[in-house]
Amino acid sequence: MLDDYHSEGEETSDSDSSTETNVVTSDDELEMPLERKVLYCSRTHSQLTQFAGEVKCTAYASQLRLVPLASRRQLCINPQVAQLSSLSRVNDACLDLLKAKKGGCVYYSDEAGRRCMRDHILAKVQDIEEVVSLGKKLCVCPYYAARKAIKSAQMVLLPYQLLFHKPSREWLGIDVKDNIVVIDEAHNLIDAINNIHSVELNLAQLERARFQLGHYLDTYSRRLNPKNIVYIKQILFIVDALRTTLTSPPPVAPSDCELKSVAASLNGLKPVNKAKPAVLLLTINDFIFSAKIDNYNVFKLERYFERSKIAFKVSGFHEKVTPSATAPPGEVSTDDDLVGRHRPALGQVESFLLALSNADRNGRVLVTYNAETPQASSLRFLLLNPEAHFRDVIEQAKAVVLAGGTLQPMSSLRAQLLSGAATHTVHQLSCGHVIPPSNVVVVPLARGPSGLPLDFTYASRSSPDVIAELGRTLTNLCRIVPDGVVCFFPSYKYEDAVVSAWEQTGVTNSIAARKKIFVEPKDTTAVDVVLRQYKSCIKHSFSNKPGTPAGALLCAVVGGKMSEGINFSDGLARCVVVVGMPYPNPQDPVLVEKMCFLETLSRGSGTAHYEELCMKAVNQSIGRAIRHAQDYAVIVLIDRRYGRSSTLSKLPTWLTGAITKVGGGDRAGSDGGLTFGPAFSAVARFFQGKRAQQEAAEHARAVKHSTKSYHKL
């Protein structure tokens, strides 16, 4: 059947028909016998590096064969390839060098060198950076040497993408069957799987794919066999149909069409946004019919893409001619355009068609029409059911461990990933924190110093009175909290509005009298600078005399860069403040469709998902403090809604016993929560107690030191 996918007389040098599989040699006879592996995966390479460092500290390090995996972007040491700006460009350049008959990659060509480096990798525990350094030292490709070491490894470290994208997993030779899978930072797992299998295809990419594939067909029409030509023409027809879909927007929805009409039904065309750009939401089947591509077998076309490597061939053909010859008519070339065109547009079409092969209930297609910038109009496949791609891991693995410090609440995780698993096979273990209960206090605050309710619902949070009351609350907290205070806002927009209002009313001056104010910037490149300045301010404030400004206040954003992956240990966060409840936008059509899908699984699970999105974000922000066994901090939740028992129950279990109790005279309305007086007193007592403990410890150390000095005399 493979003959259907190849061209008659098509040469490798012209069409890039060779694949990476053909150039990778094997020395299976030298491999160690297969044994059960632990596949440890996390979200980022830095987290995998940190884990490798912890493994080195164990007694097993000297006898453990561990292999860290990463993409070519992290592991390539060829200067010509490593300097490229995107992962797709790195991949293409690497494969081009492997197929080159002359002047290929010098780091790959030595098969004996790869075997030698494989043995070096397996000889001792190393992280990604150390493997790269080893490759440079041996002048051997770390990417392919690490791949070669997988079969003999006992533990494999890899990012989410390589485990949950089945083609990548199979390509690397990672076998889940009968192995143990450990997934760290599992609170990110649902979003990670959804993102991995969601695909966006814009009009510019479709036009580029149409032009390149048409040019390829014109060039090789006499050398392609008839069946190959039929498949290519089918792809061209589908690309044209998708272009038509994006260039022919439907009539404007009736004025009474509201979002609730979308939530009422999961079938058919769903106009959800009358504003420009217009957005339409369709089921997979409805999209296929509306685009008029229902007569084509998507599964057969996907097999053709996979076996013929047509996207790779067209990409290679495109690279061998001048950009001006392969650019669609009227497209102006710029450096940025060339970078964008280097990404294989036909490969993106392939990914989109593969996404359409999902079951109808498992996904939706979001069609966005941009009247101002037509080239930005797009088709986006949204995965609604991550379990569809997680199930094969569950079914094949010997055991799967989902680990994380902020997995609670758990109901949404179980509903979306483990609904098909037998109840007796799912075990939940929740451990306490390493700190003693006396090292943390949780204060749900319902009223401010003047008695005004702290209502941060969307309708009330912009009130000048509420913003002023928040300023008075933080000013008072900064007077009694030592060192650093980290205050999380629900969004960048609200953070800017609050800080701007404080500057106009003089609140910033009141806070600055005690603590210097820092604000998390939207620009991610500036975040590290602000963090360094904040940490430096905290460090130099330790020596300040009583009564002078000491410490700093850092205004951050829930879901921002500072809310995850940053450790605010010790004095960097003696108090974490969360302002309001960061619920996602209820008008987001993607969120609405996700909630509707969950409702089909279990009544009420859609609403529960909406609540849990909020509380997971809160828990993630809270987790920035308390980073070791001797650490301590106060958690202040500023919003009257935090007084509800249903909300407090969604906090991590290690915090539930630390919640400041609401006494009969302290109740602030039906939602509960503390008034400012009792809350302020609880925070003051906490830090007075810690100060007394520190003074006692310092006195004990002084006595011990003087005793030793006396004995020496």
Side-chain angles (χ1 to χ4, degrees):
M1 185 166 64
L2 286 176
D3 291 339
D4 293 350
Y5 305 118
H6 294 303
S7 308
E8 296 176 358
E10 187 177 9
E11 297 177 3
T12 300
S13 60
D14 292 333
S15 64
D16 296 319
S17 61
S18 66
T19 68
E20 190 176 354
T21 308
N22 296 331
V23 297
V24 177
T25 58
S26 173
D27 58 332
D28 292 338
E29 70 277 3
L30 299 177
E31 301 286 356
M32 301 177 186
L34 296 178
E35 57 184 302
R36 180 165 293 156
K37 297 176 177 23
V38 174
L39 305 178
Y40 177 91
C41 103
S42 192
R43 189 173 62 91
T44 65
H45 292 293
S46 61
Q47 290 165 341
L48 295 174
T49 297
Q50 184 179 1
F51 178 79
E54 295 297 327
V55 172
K56 294 177 184 178
C57 299
T58 68
Y60 305 101
S62 61
Q63 49 190 317
L64 180 66
R65 298 192 299 276
L66 181 147
V67 175
L69 296 182
S71 67
R72 290 181 178 88
R73 184 77 178 272
Q74 280 76 35
L75 292 177
C76 180
I77 59 174
N78 188 315
Q80 290 180 310
V81 178
Q83 68 179 354
L84 298 176
S85 58
S86 67
L87 177 60
S88 61
R89 297 190 69 182
V90 170
N91 287 337
D92 287 349
C94 174
L95 298 180
D96 286 343
L97 285 176
L98 296 190
K99 294 189 280 79
K101 294 181 179 179
K102 295 181 180 179
C105 181
V106 296
Y107 301 97
Y108 175 84
S109 57
D110 185 3
E111 171 68 19
R114 292 203 303 278
R115 289 199 298 268
C116 177
M117 184 170 174
R118 173 201 64 186
D119 295 340
H120 276 80
I121 293 174
L122 294 171
K124 66 176 182 177
V125 175
Q126 301 177 72
D127 59 33
I128 295 170
E129 287 74 16
E130 290 169 329
V131 170
V132 170
S133 298
L134 177 63
K136 292 178 179 178
K137 180 180 179 180
L138 300 178
C139 292
V140 176
C141 175
Y143 177 78
Y144 283 101
R147 279 187 55 182
K148 189 173 285 292
I150 292 174
K151 286 186 178 181
S152 305
Q154 296 170 311
M155 179 176 287
V156 179
L157 310 187
L158 67 166
Y160 285 163
Q161 174 74 27
L162 298 184
L163 181 65
F164 296 111
H165 187 244
K166 191 174 181 179
S168 297
R169 189 170 73 234
E170 293 176 345
W171 169 241
L172 287 171
I174 300 171
D175 190 4
V176 177
K177 187 173 179 58
D178 292 331
N179 287 324
I180 298 169
V181 177
V182 179
I183 303 166
D184 199 3
E185 300 291 326
H187 61 275
N188 294 307
L189 184 56
I190 293 175
D191 288 340
I193 296 177
N194 287 339
N195 292 336
I196 288 170
H197 296 281
S198 295
V199 183
E200 186 166 8
L201 182 64
N202 61 42
L203 183 58
Q205 291 171 317
L206 283 169
E207 292 184 345
R208 197 172 300 134
R210 176 64 176 85
F211 187 84
Q212 292 175 7
L213 185 58
H215 192 192
Y216 177 85
L217 179 61
D218 292 341
T219 303
Y220 293 109
S221 58
R222 295 184 179 181
R223 299 167 62 180
L224 296 170
N225 65 42
K227 290 185 178 180
N228 219 336
I229 293 176
V230 169
Y231 281 119
I232 291 176
K233 287 185 175 180
Q234 288 182 5
I235 296 171
L236 287 172
F237 180 90
I238 290 176
V239 170
D240 286 337
L242 298 180
R243 291 169 62 209
T244 301
T245 298
L246 288 178
T247 54
S248 304
V252 178
S255 59
D256 60 346
C257 180
E258 299 178 357
L259 189 66
K260 59 184 180 182
S261 66
V262 182
S265 172
L266 290 177
N267 299 312
L269 190 66
K270 301 181 175 68
V272 299
N273 190 353
K274 295 174 288 182
K276 295 181 181 180
V279 176
L280 299 175
L281 198 62
L282 298 89
T283 65
I284 297 175
N285 288 343
D286 285 333
F287 172 78
I288 290 175
F289 280 105
S290 66
K292 299 179 181 179
I293 57 175
D294 52 297
N295 290 330
Y296 294 91
N297 189 325
V298 175
F299 297 96
K300 192 170 184 180
L301 282 173
E302 178 53 36
R303 286 197 300 271
Y304 172 72
F305 268 110
E306 180 182 352
R307 297 182 180 183
S308 70
K309 309 297 179 185
I310 185 65
F312 185 70
K313 291 179 182 180
V314 171
S315 175
F317 166 74
H318 161 60
E319 290 302 314
K320 284 179 169 43
V321 294
T322 60
S324 60
T326 57
E331 184 173 326
V332 180
S333 295
T334 66
D335 291 341
D336 291 338
D337 289 337
L338 294 178
V339 171
R341 279 201 295 273
H342 194 103
R343 301 188 185 106
L346 190 59
Q348 198 71 3
V349 173
E350 176 186 2
S351 298
F352 185 75
L353 291 180
L354 175 62
L356 294 182
S357 66
N358 278 273
D360 187 58
R361 69 187 297 269
N362 289 343
R364 296 291 181 268
V365 178
L366 195 69
V367 186
T368 303
Y369 301 95
N370 195 317
E372 295 182 358
T373 312
Q375 295 292 299
S377 298
S378 65
L379 306 170
R380 183 183 174 196
F381 174 80
L382 305 168
L383 182 68
L384 296 180
N385 183 17
E387 188 176 16
H389 295 276
F390 188 61
R391 189 179 300 116
D392 64 325
V393 174
I394 292 287
E395 292 175 348
Q396 294 184 56
K398 181 71 175 177
V400 177
V401 179
L402 305 182
T406 52
L407 286 180
Q408 291 175 311
M410 288 285 294
S411 57
S412 181
L413 189 70
R414 297 188 68 154
Q416 295 189 60
L417 293 179
L418 305 172
S419 63
T423 305
H424 71 277
T425 65
V426 180
H427 306 278
Q428 183 175 335
L429 174 65
S430 182
C431 302
H433 207 284
V434 294
I435 64 167
S438 60
N439 278 20
V440 63
V441 169
V442 179
V443 179
L445 187 58
R447 291 184 182 272
S450 64
L452 186 73
L454 295 169
D455 183 1
F456 288 92
T457 57
Y458 188 80
S460 303
R461 68 184 188 182
S462 297
S463 165
D465 292 337
V466 172
I467 293 176
E469 191 75 347
L470 174 62
R472 288 189 286 269
T473 301
L474 286 177
T475 300
N476 281 280
L477 285 175
C478 288
R479 290 173 181 164
I480 59 174
V481 176
D483 307 326
V485 176
V486 182
C487 180
F488 287 99
F489 291 88
S491 68
Y492 285 106
K493 183 178 180 180
Y494 189 63
E495 176 192 55
D496 292 342
V498 169
V499 173
S500 177
W502 286 350
E503 289 174 347
Q504 295 175 11
T505 57
V507 173
T508 52
N509 293 332
S510 300
I511 295 176
R514 291 299 303 158
K515 297 186 184 296
K516 187 174 181 179
I517 300 175
F518 295 88
V519 179
E520 177 180 355
K522 293 180 183 178
D523 183 5
T524 56
T525 60
V527 169
D528 290 338
V529 175
V530 174
L531 276 175
R532 284 196 299 269
Q533 293 173 346
Y534 172 73
K535 292 179 179 179
S536 176
C537 182
I538 298 295
K539 180 179 179 181
H540 291 93
S541 71
F542 289 150
S543 60
N544 285 4
K545 297 180 180 180
T548 60
L553 168 66
L554 175 61
C555 298
V557 175
V558 175
K561 187 171 183 180
M562 293 185 183
S563 68
E564 184 173 354
I566 305 294
N567 294 340
F568 291 108
S569 59
D570 299 317
L572 295 179
R574 287 303 180 205
C575 179
V576 173
V577 179
V578 181
V579 177
M581 299 187 69
Y583 285 106
N585 181 7
Q587 304 298 310
D588 180 4
V590 177
L591 175 61
V592 171
E593 200 67 16
K594 179 73 172 183
M595 292 170 61
C596 291
F597 170 77
L598 292 175
E599 286 292 330
T600 66
L601 302 180
S602 175
R603 185 174 179 82
S605 59
T607 303
H609 172 68
Y610 186 69
E611 293 276 346
E612 290 181 6
L613 286 176
C614 169
M615 290 308 297
K616 279 184 178 293
V618 171
N619 292 341
Q620 191 67 26
S621 299
I622 290 173
R624 298 311 90 215
I626 315 291
R627 307 304 297 182
H628 58 82
Q630 286 75 44
D631 210 351
Y632 62 91
V634 168
I635 312 297
V636 181
L637 307 174
I638 301 182
D639 195 309
R640 59 179 178 78
R641 293 171 292 178
Y642 282 117
R644 299 178 299 199
S645 58
S646 59
T647 300
L648 293 176
S649 67
K650 293 181 174 64
L651 292 173
T653 53
W654 62 274
L655 284 178
T656 54
I659 299 172
T660 304
K661 304 300 181 183
V662 180
D666 300 330
R667 185 169 293 278
S670 59
D671 285 328
L674 292 175
T675 55
F676 186 77
F680 188 83
S681 298
V683 175
R685 285 195 302 270
F686 178 81
F687 286 113
Q688 287 171 359
K690 291 302 172 186
R691 194 176 303 113
Q693 290 178 10
Q694 290 175 351
E695 291 173 354
E698 291 174 0
H699 177 71
R701 283 195 295 269
V703 171
K704 185 176 181 180
H705 177 73
S706 61
T707 303
K708 286 184 177 179
S709 300
Y710 174 78
H711 286 305
K712 287 181 179 179
L713 293 175

